């Protein structure tokens, strides 16, 4: 009898995850709250939300998007740092068309960069460093899971005057950690 009870619990847990995400993938774009966790606190101590907005003009394409940004406050005792997150849910019907559209967003965002394929992060993911963005550059990760595209980027100074960035690899590592936390929270239906 105990084994039967355990089977029912496992089955109920699986149903709950499928119910949040839906049979065709994500039914809505997550909110910025999915990024507000331990990793954000570590990357940007005393973070202040600067952007928490819907991305306009995507509805006619069957998409919805959310953009988020946090940065160190002017009075922060820590060196300046910031993170930004962009999330786009593609496809009104879900399924393979939504997945293909999310894959195109991932490819479009990362193909202009010297990108590195990542494993164990969504269905497919790449990391890159964008040195062209002033003043410090950004370490970024783009990931696709089902019909959801998520891009996380991290930038930090090694000095209070924002003249020297931390190493590129550290920025990319921060973006990877944040992407993992965002994707986990989105899958669990938080935000």
């Amino acid at each position: 009898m105990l084994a039967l009870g355990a089977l029912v619990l496992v089955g109920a847990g699986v149903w709950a995850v499928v119910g949040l995400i839906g049979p065709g993938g994500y039914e809505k774009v997550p909110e910025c709250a999915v990024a507000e966790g331990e990793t954000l606190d570590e990357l940007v101590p005393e973070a202040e939300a600067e952007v928490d907005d819907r991305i306009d003009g995507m509805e006619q394409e069957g998409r919805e998007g959310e953009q988020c940004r946090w940065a160190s406050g002017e009075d922060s005792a820590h060196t300046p740092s910031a993170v930004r997150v962009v999330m786009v849910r593609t496809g009104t019907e879900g399924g393979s068309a939504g997945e293909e559209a999310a894959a195109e967003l991932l490819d479009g965002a990362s193909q202009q960069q010297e990108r590195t394929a990542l494993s164990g992060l969504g269905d497919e993911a790449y990391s890159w460093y964008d040195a062209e963005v002033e003043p410090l550059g950004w370490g970024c990760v783009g990931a696709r899971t089902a019909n959801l595209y998520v891009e996380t980027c991290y930038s930090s100074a090694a000095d209070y005057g924002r003249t020297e960035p931390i190493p590129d690899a550290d920025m990319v590592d921060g973006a990877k950690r944040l992407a993992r936390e965002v994707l986990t929270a989105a899958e669990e239906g938080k935000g």
Side-chain angles (χ1 to χ4, degrees):
M1 186 65 177
L2 181 60
L4 180 59
L7 180 60
V8 170
L9 283 175
V10 170
V14 170
W15 178 85
V17 170
V18 171
L20 291 172
I21 296 174
Y26 287 83
E27 295 175 351
K28 66 176 191 162
V29 69
E31 296 176 0
C32 291
V34 296
E36 294 175 342
E38 186 176 311
T39 303
L40 176 62
D41 292 343
E42 290 173 8
L43 297 176
V44 187
E46 302 173 24
E48 294 180 4
E50 293 184 337
V51 177
D52 181 347
D53 295 320
R54 300 296 266 182
I55 301 172
D56 292 331
M58 299 186 119
E59 297 80 14
Q60 60 271 41
E61 300 170 19
R63 302 175 181 189
E64 62 176 339
E66 185 82 12
Q67 56 188 344
C68 325
R69 180 183 161 97
W70 296 264
S72 318
E74 289 184 24
D75 298 331
S76 176
H78 303 277
T79 54
S81 57
V83 298
R84 66 179 192 238
V85 178
V86 173
M87 298 171 284
V88 179
R89 188 224 17 108
T90 59
T92 54
E93 303 298 321
S96 62
E99 291 179 11
E100 288 171 15
E104 289 173 8
L105 288 173
L106 171 60
D107 194 50
S110 64
Q111 71 180 347
Q112 300 297 322
Q113 309 293 333
E114 186 176 318
R115 65 186 188 180
T116 302
L118 302 174
S119 61
L121 192 59
D123 294 325
E124 59 181 321
Y126 295 99
S127 66
W128 64 88
Y129 178 74
D130 187 352
E132 299 297 315
V133 181
E134 295 292 332
L136 304 170
W138 290 88
C140 296
V141 168
R144 180 194 66 82
T145 184
N147 63 329
L148 179 68
Y149 170 70
V150 173
E151 183 175 310
T152 59
C153 295
Y154 171 54
S155 181
S156 185
D159 64 334
Y160 288 98
R162 297 182 71 140
T163 60
E164 292 295 322
I166 64 171
D168 305 357
D170 291 349
M171 288 191 213
V172 171
D173 181 62
K176 286 180 198 174
R177 292 175 30 224
L178 185 61
R180 187 165 281 111
E181 190 166 290
V182 167
L183 289 171
T184 299
E187 184 176 305
E188 292 172 355
K190 298 177 182 171

